[in-house]
Amino acid sequence: SAERPSKRKGAALFLVAAAAAIALTLFAFRIYDGVNTKRNYDKAQSYIAMGDYAAAEAIYDDLPPTVDNVDMALKIQELETLKASDAAYKKGLALSRAGDSLAAYGAYKEVVKEDRTNYANAKVMMESIQSEAIARANRYVEEGKKKDAEELLDAFLTLDPKNVRLLQAKDAVLTK
């Protein structure tokens, strides 16, 4: 009977030690999981900055609903916008190569400012297309085809109605 309290004490001590070890393991896993989640989130942000949206999307799919108080649903929505912007830029390039300047201009117009990979290039391409269209409109006027010049500029203004450069070019065509 003297051994019984000692066995009980040993069993209780073992149970306490085991519970402490389990709690410590769970706590360590929770910390590791949080650090790993944050690392993956940062990695996805790096992929986005490089324009590798597919790699970022693959990481986003495995992240919890919130990371550091950031709603991942919003981040996924932002990523979808960037993917659409990237697709619009690539479409614009293909249309430019095919010689369809008006459609290319419309595609470039869909590239969003947040798309750091393509936005500046899309703006340059749009300015180049505008220059070509204005030069063509001026040639039409010189050839006596004022109506064609106006229609050409109107087509671009349909896509970009507040563009000052195109509006000025149209005014110049109308006053010639």
Side-chain angles (χ1 to χ4, degrees):
S1 127
E3 285 184 32
R4 275 200 156 194
S6 171
K7 283 186 177 178
R8 281 188 181 164
K9 240 185 193 179
L13 187 59
F14 174 77
L15 287 175
V16 167
I22 290 171
L24 186 60
T25 301
L26 290 174
F27 180 71
F29 177 75
R30 190 155 169 79
I31 289 174
Y32 170 78
D33 189 50
V35 168
N36 194 42
T37 297
K38 175 69 173 136
R39 185 180 314 127
N40 284 338
Y41 174 78
D42 291 342
K43 192 176 190 181
Q45 296 308 301
S46 294
Y47 283 134
I48 289 171
M50 293 185 296
D52 190 351
Y53 304 128
E57 185 174 34
I59 292 171
Y60 275 0
D61 288 344
D62 293 333
L63 292 177
T66 58
V67 176
D68 285 346
N69 294 324
V70 174
D71 186 350
M72 290 309 299
L74 294 175
K75 285 296 186 182
I76 291 169
Q77 191 174 23
E78 289 172 10
L79 181 59
E80 292 300 320
T81 300
L82 290 173
K83 286 171 47 182
S85 180
D86 186 56
Y89 179 74
K90 288 175 180 168
K91 180 180 178 184
L93 286 176
L95 291 165
S96 288
R97 288 184 190 118
D100 192 347
S101 297
L102 184 63
Y105 191 88
Y108 290 134
K109 192 91 173 97
E110 294 176 22
V111 176
V112 297
K113 284 183 183 179
E114 295 79 13
D115 185 349
R116 293 179 284 181
T117 305
N118 300 315
Y119 183 74
N121 292 335
K123 284 295 181 196
V124 169
M125 293 300 287
M126 288 173 61
E127 288 172 11
S128 175
I129 291 170
Q130 286 173 21
S131 295
E132 290 172 16
I134 291 168
R136 192 171 349 137
N138 288 331
R139 279 194 307 276
Y140 284 158
V141 170
E142 289 170 7
E143 296 168 1
K145 301 176 185 173
K146 190 173 180 178
K147 183 77 172 153
D148 290 344
E150 186 179 356
E151 287 175 1
L152 174 65
L153 293 172
D154 280 343
F156 280 94
L157 283 166
T158 299
L159 297 174
D160 199 357
K162 295 179 182 177
N163 186 291
V164 174
R165 189 173 176 210
L166 292 171
L167 288 167
Q168 289 172 343
K170 184 178 177 185
D171 286 344
V173 164
L174 292 175
T175 58
K176 287 185 181 181

